[in-house]
Amino acid sequence: MLRIGMLTSGGDCQALNAAMRGVVKCVYNNAKDSVEFYGFEDGYKGLIYSKFHMLTGADFSGILTRGGTILGTSRVPFKTIREPDENGLDKVAAMKQNYYKLQLDCLVMLGGNGSHKTAALLKEEGLNVITLPKTIDNDLWGTDMTFGFQSAVDIATEAIDCIHTTANSHGRVFIVEIMGHKVGWLPLNAGMAGGADIILIPEIPYDINKVIDKIEERDARGSRFTILAVAEGAISKEDAKLSKKDYEKKLETYTFPSVSYELADSIAKKTGKEIRVTVPGHMQRGGSPCPYDRVFASRLGAEAGKLILNGQYGYMVGYKNREMIKVPLEKVAGKLKTVDPNSDIIEEAKLLGISFGD
Ligand code: F6P
């Protein structure tokens, strides 16, 4: 008998269900023994507080195309994982206890950066853990691609496409704010796919004067509009120079809802132009996974299933240089995969005339 626990952790994304279905199908179809799957509800919370249910084949039927996660998810911050909860419960001890109580052979965790730190900790504590790289941000170290990313690129691109037509009609400057947390993969790719004129990402701090130069250059050429794809984590050159403490102090008195509104305000003041801000927000994480993500997540699921069947634990399944790989969890945990400002894609974007405000 093979007993497998499964949970989805952190912000959701498209293809979480497709990935879990992949694991389950692979194991069911190829295991020599009988198999039981247990789904922990709402991420690590389910493992801590023993909230789980047994999963049957029916749970995985028809979910390849379904967004969200059939298990629910939540954020359980890693930085307080060693601290007792409000009732004095030792969260790490509780997770171990519930794992052993269910006599699990393995825990499958689908998560992003923070969730991988907890997964590595559980491995260190002696549990058999296998993880799959989930996030629209594509910022997980050790894999070229995370599932959810391509679906989010599609949605963010669609948003920029829609803005294009109205920006053209009105001759306005439009800012589309794109998710991605502290990295620029999503705004960079959606920005390029949507034909944005200016792309601002956290890895390349911007100079507001360079942003305005680009808008004025387009005006001088007779372009009726300018579109900026701005990462939610975009940062100005001045702010990037501040110490962490000084930057946090600045944020205490920050009155704009986000960096895009601050930019809009600066551009309007300096140019007298009419600016509009669009924030697609969580739409980027919602809805059905795109075909790429359905295939990719299914493949990752199958690879994870293979590791389980071979009794190889302690890895994240990833994708590097067009090959499926396994990366030890301790190597993944705590590292961020950022956009290299000197990479080919940035150089090519600049050759196409896209400004990064630098
Ligand atoms: O990590 C995925 C992500 O959507 C980021 O792009 C974004 O910064 C964050 O989650 C939003 O988190 P929440 O859903 O908790 O508001």
Side-chain angles (χ1 to χ4, degrees), residues 192-220:
M192 284 184 77
D197 310 294
I198 300 169
I199 301 177
L200 304 181
I201 59 172
E203 293 88 338
I204 307 179
Y206 67 85
D207 174 344
I208 187 67
N209 296 314
K210 294 281 168 58
V211 172
I212 287 164
D213 286 350
K214 181 68 186 177
I215 296 171
E216 287 175 346
E217 176 199 310
R218 284 180 56 77
D219 284 354

Side-chain angles (χ1 to χ4, degrees), residues 10-13 75 112 134-137 139 178-182 186 232 281-282 284-285:
D12 75 340
C13 73
R75 295 191 192 276
K134 160 246 71 160
T135 168
I136 63 164
D137 303 336
D139 60 352
I178 299 175
M179 275 186 168
H181 201 43
K182 293 180 180 161
L186 187 50
E232 60 179 352
H282 287 75
Q284 294 163 94
R285 279 187 0 206

Side-chain angles (χ1 to χ4, degrees), residues 5 16 69 79 98 117 133-134 150 168 191 249 320:
L16 274 163
T69 159
K79 66 173 182 228
N98 288 322
K117 293 188 201 163
K134 160 246 71 160
Q150 293 294 345
N168 195 13
K249 211 162 151 202
K320 209 108 196 126

Side-chain angles (χ1 to χ4, degrees), residues 233-294:
I235 186 164
S236 68
K237 279 193 194 296
E238 302 87 74
D239 285 351
K241 279 188 205 137
L242 296 176
S243 66
K244 199 175 168 216
K245 207 169 139 202
D246 286 344
Y247 185 58
E248 277 166 5
K249 211 162 151 202
K250 178 191 160 171
L251 291 184
E252 278 169 23
T253 53
Y254 195 73
T255 50
F256 297 104
S258 70
V259 63
S260 297
Y261 291 89
E262 183 185 0
L263 266 163
D265 186 62
S266 306
I267 298 169
K269 281 188 181 135
K270 287 183 187 246
T271 64
K273 281 183 178 297
E274 202 177 9
I275 324 284
R276 292 288 186 272
V277 177
T278 296
V279 184
H282 287 75
M283 273 177 67
Q284 294 163 94
R285 279 187 0 206
S288 187
C290 67
Y292 177 95
D293 271 336
R294 294 179 200 182

Side-chain angles (χ1 to χ4, degrees), residues 9-62:
S9 171
D12 75 340
C13 73
Q14 303 89 344
L16 274 163
N17 292 325
M20 288 193 274
R21 173 183 174 272
V23 178
V24 170
K25 271 189 168 269
C26 172
V27 175
Y28 270 145
N29 282 328
N30 299 287
K32 293 192 179 68
D33 297 329
S34 54
V35 191
E36 277 178 5
F37 276 97
Y38 295 87
F40 292 102
E41 294 153 24
D42 298 334
Y44 285 112
K45 272 189 191 167
L47 185 58
I48 296 170
Y49 299 107
S50 194
K51 290 266 182 334
F52 65 88
H53 55 275
M54 200 196 246
L55 298 163
T56 67
D59 290 308
F60 296 95
S61 174

Side-chain angles (χ1 to χ4, degrees), residues 58-97:
D59 290 308
F60 296 95
S61 174
I63 66 166
L64 174 65
T65 59
R66 201 194 305 169
T69 159
I70 58 165
L71 296 181
T73 188
S74 66
R75 295 191 192 276
V76 177
F78 175 75
K79 66 173 182 228
T80 54
I81 201 81
R82 288 280 187 197
E83 291 170 17
D85 77 355
E86 58 280 13
N87 299 313
L89 181 81
D90 179 332
K91 288 174 275 195
V92 176
M95 286 194 277
K96 288 168 68 177
Q97 205 177 6

